[in-house]
Amino acid sequence: MPPPPPPPSPDPSDDPTYIDLDLWAKERNLQGSRYPYILHALDATAAALSLWNAFLSPGVRRGIAGGLGVDETHARALVAFWAGCHDIGKLIREFQEQIPVDLSSYPREQPPGDRSGHSFVTHQWLTSALPRFGYPGEDEYVADLVAQLLGGHHGVYPDPLDEYTTHRFAEGPWSEQRERATLLVREAAGSPEPPERLKAAIAPLVCGLVILADWLVSQEHFLPAQLKTPPADGSRPALLAHFHASLPAVTRLVDDAGLRPLTTSPASFVESFPSIDTPNGLQSSLARHLPDLCSDGGLVLITAPPGEGKTEAALHAADLLGAATGHHGRFLALPTMATADQMYGRLREYALRRADVRAPLALLHSMAWLNPEYAPTDEELSEPDGLAPTTWLMKSKRGLLASWSTGTIDQALMAALPARHNAVRMLGLSGKVVIVDEVHAVDPYMQMLLERLLHWLGVYGVPVVLLSATLHHSVANALVKAYVSGSKGKVKRSAPPFVERIAYPGWLHVHPATGEVTANPEPFTTTERHPLKADLVPVPLQDGRPDREQALRELLGPLVAEGGCAAVICTTVAEAQQTRDLLAEWFSGMDPAPELFLLHSRFPQEQRTSITAELTHRLGRKGAAENVRPERAVIVATQVIEQSLDLDLDLLITDLAPIGLLLQRAGRCWRHEHLGIVTRPTWANEPRMAVLVPREEQSRGHLPKSWDYIYTASLLMRTHSLLARRGDRPIRVPEDVQPLVDDLYDDASLIEDVDADIKRIGEELALRTHGRNAVIPTARDLHADLSPLTRSDLPIGEHFLATRFGADSVRVLCCYRDPHGGLWLDAGLTRRLPEVGADGRMDGDDLRAVMARTIPMRATHDTEPPLAEANRVPKGWEDDYHLHDLVLLVHPVDADGRAGEALLGDRRLFLHPDNGLEYRT
């Protein structure tokens, strides 16, 4: 008798939990394979679970849990569940049929959105589905906010739904698959109960974590590896088994990306800085008193002269604040790329010395990848020290996710603008102590952005340290008020000022919950400094331009004769170039001739970096000790020299500028005198700042046009009056610094031109208004709608959301055309303009060579598309992220090897080997 036939295999459709593995989420670069939707959802869930433990600082975990009204274990499960739902909108026919797939068992339904809008469908479906899973709706808005934040996982939050825009999803196979997937992901995450609340302000952090989880598990190398060990089928047991088996692989993604924290142990100031035998008064005061004040974090403002060790004080304050609040990360914000590069080296040394567990340390600005110390080429790779950046972190928008980082202040301010993926930036900042150096350098527009950023850092309990050498008390009060408005929740307009005066040098601490301000509890001694001789040196104006020649010959004569180091700071690049030419002609034929340096922003990147590195080495602290300090040297520079560059000069000559900037520049004069490491020439018997001003008969209302273009005329006139009325009295540092900074704005007797003052006030108000219109809303104004965080009411695109009003916004590349039409990178015609390869990419060394030769320049109508043919990048470059926006400045080279001028619209430009990019008339 034949054996009975085997029982038929169960029909998967009869299993109420079965999920169709043919429904896909990823297919790009999978060589024809498809990555099932449910696997991607489970991967994202696993990544969120891992990130919660491995990436988030304890302070952030507490903040998210508090915003949800649950404990941290519950919050972790909720965030993981939501991360697993982020792509649920892909389970619609319009998305699935983008590639050939059998959808015969799935009927057509009214489409909720177009093919590219799966994030919008996620928002649509979850808005109606989450209440069915027990999520509070209506007045609590929990379901709406979760749906909206997940709909924003591509970086832009969708608009909220109403009865006219909510799509009604039909019952059937599609809805069944979505619900089954959602239930399975929820189970994998730990079956968390819905929270009773979700504070809207916490939603961006959750969204940032969801985006991060999605980015990690969408990497091209990860998906094929996962497909090698697929689940047995789409049943619940098989999928959950696959999920648990995948957890170690997902955790490795977190490690490989470099997202683990860099941690330090508590240490005294002397232990943190063993090279400082005796901390100065500022450092000792912070180390002694701040621990008793900062148990809840808060904001610390440090004001002191240049060279007073503010950076070391800030790093120690950050250690104390971070340990107290569970924020193990650090971000140091600097005003320029050059100062960020210099700070990277200092922070790296500190991290090597202090770290218990090392992790990547990021340098963040657009040209950071050209810094050989940060991103060495393969030939330059050295022994790993645990601080090198990972390839993953060096990609766009990811650098702030590194545990420790430094960069330009723009990198942080972008979080306060309604730009795509600002949630990722905010997430990166939320786990750190944020240090902002040179805070006085922000203009009214940037100040508005910084105030809004500080508000949100206060919301998230992020400790902040602000550093300044010359800060007006009203600016300090505005920044403190902004922070407290976030940390405390509300500040009455009628409330008295938080900061009425600034102790200089000194520090203050602001309690985040109460807003109580504690100034340094007791006076402390400061570094003894020689009084600064600040004298006004009249120069004639020729056709509205300053004629510096005679003044420079008189001021630099002793240096030429006996030796020494001086700087001449000019207001514009063109004036700096002209001044260098003037001095070069004077010095020619001398033996010995002074070394002559020029530093400004219109050099090719690699040349500017090289000049900056040489100057900071030879005229910095190590220069004298290593016997490389120049015997005779003159540096001609623009304002780039005044911020965070460690230079010691015997004499400073500068154009008239607002008093705060003059005092900042004066910080380069006799900077290291208290260290006793520099031998001064006999003529330099006191620190001196010679301020070039128009002659008396020309000064009234006749400032050079170029100076009035860069600085507000009323501030220049006020500064002139402020210094003139001091006569021969030297400026005592630090005693006279803060009164001078405050008097510039507060002293009504300085007004010489009422119309000029009114114009200044109007311009500052306009800049603040522009900033106020550009920033994201406050947490109190957010209500239950996240879309304003990525939507601007201004009719501009993200490309124009700038952190600096009127900033340079294009990069130009100077190249050379030989008589036969060939294009070269250099005037000597030794390196051809590189081409892209067959894969559409440029070789790494070639790309470095190109970008290292680029120069920032202010955008004009000549740099906007469509460019003139001669200014367009070569064919193939337009598809490269780094290259497509470049503007070429093509210099013709004749048969004798002479380079001519490049054309850009009606302008003629020339890249001079010593002067940088010149505008020719």
Side-chain angles (χ1 to χ4, degrees):
M1 185 175 184
S9 300
D11 186 349
S13 62
D14 294 336
D15 183 350
T17 67
Y18 195 89
I19 296 176
D20 190 346
L21 295 181
D22 286 335
L23 299 179
W24 60 278
K26 305 285 182 181
E27 54 83 28
R28 186 178 302 171
N29 298 318
L30 290 181
Q31 289 75 47
S33 298
R34 298 185 300 272
Y35 198 70
Y37 164 79
I38 189 58
L39 298 192
H40 178 59
L42 291 170
D43 291 342
T45 302
L49 290 171
S50 180
L51 287 167
W52 182 275
N53 291 338
F55 169 72
L56 291 185
S57 292
V60 179
R61 294 198 292 263
R62 287 196 301 270
I64 293 176
L68 296 173
V70 298
D71 62 36
E72 292 183 31
T73 301
H74 191 175
R76 174 177 182 256
L78 284 169
V79 171
F81 168 40
W82 299 339
C85 296
H86 75 279
D87 266 351
I88 195 73
K90 289 183 175 180
L91 295 184
I92 58 170
R93 190 180 190 99
E94 286 70 27
F95 179 88
Q96 294 293 319
E97 65 184 5
Q98 291 181 87
I99 61 175
V101 60
D102 182 11
L103 297 175
S104 57
S105 58
Y106 295 92
R108 290 193 174 277
E109 51 183 5
Q110 183 180 353
D114 59 33
R115 291 183 176 183
S116 64
H118 72 268
S119 59
F120 172 70
V121 180
T122 293
H123 179 212
Q124 287 264 5
W125 188 75
L126 288 174
T127 299
S128 58
L130 286 175
R132 298 200 300 272
F133 292 99
Y135 275 69
E138 299 180 357
D139 294 340
E140 295 299 328
Y141 299 107
V142 175
D144 292 341
L145 283 171
V146 173
Q148 195 180 26
L149 77 87
L150 293 178
H153 76 270
H154 282 175
V156 177
Y157 299 105
D159 290 331
L161 302 175
D162 55 33
E163 59 181 313
Y164 302 103
T165 57
T166 300
H167 181 77
R168 307 300 176 188
F169 290 85
E171 297 295 326
W174 287 113
S175 181
E176 289 175 0
Q177 287 296 310
R178 287 190 288 266
E179 291 194 11
R180 292 176 185 180
T182 302
L183 287 170
L184 184 69
V185 166
R186 181 175 177 273
E187 183 177 358
S191 302
E193 291 297 317
E196 294 184 1
R197 71 167 187 257
L198 169 55
K199 290 184 178 179
I202 295 297
L205 298 186
V206 177
C207 181
L209 195 68
V210 170
I211 293 171
L212 177 53
D214 184 26
W215 285 355
L216 286 174
V217 299
S218 297
Q219 296 178 84
E220 294 178 4
H221 72 276
F222 173 71
L223 300 180
Q226 287 288 90
L227 286 174
K228 290 180 181 179
T229 56
D233 53 42
S235 66
R236 171 183 165 276
L239 290 173
L240 289 177
H242 176 83
F243 167 76
H244 290 293
S246 297
L247 285 173
V250 174
T251 300
R252 284 194 297 273
L253 291 179
V254 177
D255 294 336
D256 293 344
L259 295 174
R260 294 278 181 178
L262 189 158
T263 59
T264 61
S265 295
S268 68
F269 187 90
V270 173
E271 290 170 336
S272 297
F273 301 97
S275 62
I276 301 178
D277 296 329
T278 304
N280 62 29
L282 170 67
Q283 296 161 347
S284 298
S285 177
L286 268 166
R288 183 164 58 253
H289 296 292
L290 185 58
D292 295 332
L293 299 171
C294 71
S295 59
D296 296 318
L299 179 147
V300 173
L301 170 64
I302 301 173
T303 52
E308 192 70 13
K310 291 192 296 295
T311 299
E312 290 81 3
L315 289 172
H316 187 63
D319 286 348
L320 296 173
L321 291 162
T325 60
H327 287 72
H328 47 55
R330 303 286 185 271
F331 177 66
L332 273 68
L334 282 299
T336 66
M337 289 190 288
T339 54
D341 283 340
Q342 189 179 38
M343 184 57 70
Y344 171 74
R346 296 177 66 180
L347 185 61
R348 193 172 183 279
E349 290 180 4
Y350 186 67
L352 286 171
R353 186 167 64 247
R354 292 279 289 115
D356 298 321
V357 177
R358 295 180 181 177
L361 193 162
L363 173 62
L364 306 179
H365 58 71
S366 59
M367 298 288 109
W369 60 285
L370 294 177
N371 185 321
E373 292 186 9
Y374 175 59
T377 61
D378 292 340
E379 294 78 12
E380 297 169 328
L381 287 176
S382 58
E383 291 296 319
D385 58 16
L387 300 181
T390 63
T391 301
W392 191 91
L393 280 171
M394 291 190 70
K395 293 184 179 179
S396 177
K397 301 182 180 181
R398 299 178 183 178
L400 272 176
L401 298 171
S403 182
W404 281 32
S405 55
T406 184
T408 56
I409 189 173
D410 313 72
Q411 300 293 325
L413 294 182
M414 283 295 291
L417 290 172
R420 181 181 291 269
H421 291 122
N422 59 6
V424 176
R425 293 182 184 272
M426 199 68 83
L427 175 69
L429 291 171
S430 66
K432 296 177 169 56
V433 179
V434 176
I435 303 172
V436 183
D437 198 3
E438 309 280 9
V439 72
H440 56 268
V442 299
D443 63 20
Y445 173 75
M446 290 181 70
Q447 182 184 328
M448 188 64 238
L449 271 59
L450 180 56
E451 288 177 23
R452 190 54 48 89
L453 175 65
L454 290 172
H455 166 85
W456 279 94
L457 295 181
V459 169
Y460 295 138
V462 176
V464 172
V465 182
L466 304 178
L467 305 178
S468 180
T470 54
L471 188 67
H472 192 269
H473 64 86
S474 67
V475 177
N477 181 68
L479 298 177
V480 169
K481 182 178 179 180
Y483 183 81
V484 175
S485 74
S487 63
K488 187 179 178 182
K490 185 177 182 181
V491 176
K492 295 180 179 180
R493 291 188 177 183
S494 59
F498 291 93
V499 181
E500 295 188 88
R501 59 178 297 274
I502 293 176
Y504 189 90
W507 60 274
L508 59 82
H509 172 264
V510 184
H511 193 279
T514 65
E516 181 181 357
V517 176
T518 303
N520 39 284
E522 59 185 11
F524 54 81
T525 58
T526 61
T527 303
E528 186 175 349
R529 298 170 185 267
H530 292 270
L532 173 71
K533 180 182 180 182
D535 51 348
L536 302 177
V537 179
V539 295
L541 301 183
Q542 300 289 344
D543 298 324
R545 298 176 180 176
D547 182 357
R548 302 176 179 83
E549 181 173 6
Q550 186 59 38
L552 293 182
R553 284 181 177 270
E554 293 177 1
L555 291 167
L556 295 175
L559 180 150
V560 170
E562 302 178 33
C565 298
V568 181
I569 303 182
C570 301
T571 303
T572 69
V573 172
E575 291 176 349
Q577 292 168 331
Q578 294 160 8
T579 300
R580 194 214 74 90
D581 288 344
L582 184 155
L583 294 177
E585 183 178 357
W586 179 25
F587 296 163
S588 64
M590 290 184 181
D591 186 18
E595 295 184 62
L596 185 58
F597 299 91
L598 178 64
L599 181 61
H600 57 69
S601 61
R602 287 212 307 260
F603 278 111
Q605 181 69 30
E606 62 181 355
Q607 190 174 2
R608 178 178 174 180
T609 300
S610 175
I611 295 169
T612 302
E614 181 177 4
L615 290 176
T616 53
H617 175 58
R618 297 184 64 190
L619 281 89
R621 297 191 181 202
K622 296 180 180 179
E626 297 179 3
N627 200 30
V628 296
R629 182 177 173 86
E631 292 185 10
R632 287 175 174 81
V634 178
I635 306 167
V636 181
T638 56
Q639 301 91 327
V640 298
I641 202 175
E642 74 192 19
Q643 295 172 340
S644 296
L645 294 184
D646 187 23
L647 306 176
D648 181 290
L649 304 166
D650 302 311
L651 168 67
L652 179 72
I653 306 168
T654 173
D655 287 347
L656 181 64
I659 189 65
L661 299 182
L662 290 181
L663 293 171
Q664 184 72 17
R665 295 172 188 181
R668 315 306 126 188
C669 193
W670 288 38
R671 184 181 180 92
H672 301 143
E673 184 65 14
H674 62 287
L675 300 177
I677 58 177
V678 177
T679 301
R680 305 286 175 200
T682 58
W683 58 265
N685 53 16
E686 61 183 337
R688 182 186 180 191
M689 177 174 63
V691 182
L692 305 183
V693 297
R695 282 182 177 170
E696 184 66 25
E697 66 271 16
Q698 295 178 307
S699 64
R700 302 291 178 179
H702 291 86
L703 290 168
K705 294 179 180 178
S706 58
W707 297 7
D708 192 13
Y709 179 73
I710 301 297
Y711 301 116
T712 304
S714 76
L715 293 184
L716 294 181
M717 289 187 284
R718 280 171 165 261
T719 298
H720 190 177
S721 299
L722 197 59
L723 293 175
R725 77 183 185 186
R726 292 186 65 86
D728 295 331
R729 285 184 299 146
I731 297 174
R732 297 171 301 158
V733 180
E735 294 88 346
D736 294 337
V737 172
Q738 195 62 45
L740 286 170
V741 172
D742 289 339
D743 284 351
L744 180 67
Y745 291 90
D746 300 343
D747 191 338
S749 69
L750 295 175
I751 299 177
E752 293 187 3
D753 186 332
V754 174
D755 290 339
D757 253 41
I758 293 174
K759 179 182 178 183
R760 170 183 61 83
I761 294 171
E763 290 173 348
E764 291 178 354
L765 180 60
L767 285 173
R768 284 190 61 83
T769 300
H770 183 74
R772 189 174 291 108
N773 290 335
V775 294
I776 61 177
T778 65
R780 292 183 66 245
D781 293 334
L782 201 57
H783 305 302
D785 177 14
L786 305 178
S787 62
L789 294 174
T790 53
R791 183 189 67 226
S792 174
D793 292 332
L794 300 175
I796 56 177
E798 182 180 339
H799 178 72
F800 296 99
L801 286 173
T803 57
R804 302 171 193 248
F805 191 78
D808 293 336
S809 56
V810 297
R811 299 192 75 86
V812 299
L813 173 67
C814 293
C815 57
Y816 301 84
R817 177 180 287 117
D818 64 31
H820 306 290
L823 290 178
W824 303 76
L825 269 179
D826 61 318
L829 308 184
T830 63
R831 185 166 186 173
R832 286 193 175 274
L833 207 65
E835 298 179 354
V836 297
D839 60 355
R841 299 181 179 181
M842 184 175 289
D843 174 77
D845 289 340
D846 286 339
L847 183 59
R848 284 175 180 265
V850 169
M851 295 305 297
R853 288 167 169 80
T854 60
I855 302 170
M857 196 174 78
R858 191 177 301 278
T860 68
H861 67 278
D862 294 322
T863 61
E864 296 176 357
L867 295 172
E869 182 65 30
N871 302 122
R872 298 176 188 171
V873 296
K875 186 177 180 181
W877 286 27
E878 61 269 11
D879 295 327
D880 188 286
Y881 167 78
H882 295 289
L883 304 172
H884 70 278
D885 282 337
L886 294 182
V887 176
L888 296 192
L889 298 181
V890 182
H891 295 60
V893 179
D894 63 21
D896 295 325
R898 291 188 296 265
E901 297 166 340
L903 295 178
L904 182 62
D906 297 331
R907 288 182 291 173
R908 294 182 292 119
L909 303 98
F910 181 75
L911 182 58
H912 190 283
D914 298 316
N915 284 356
L917 188 62
E918 298 178 335
Y919 290 178
R920 299 286 180 86
T921 56

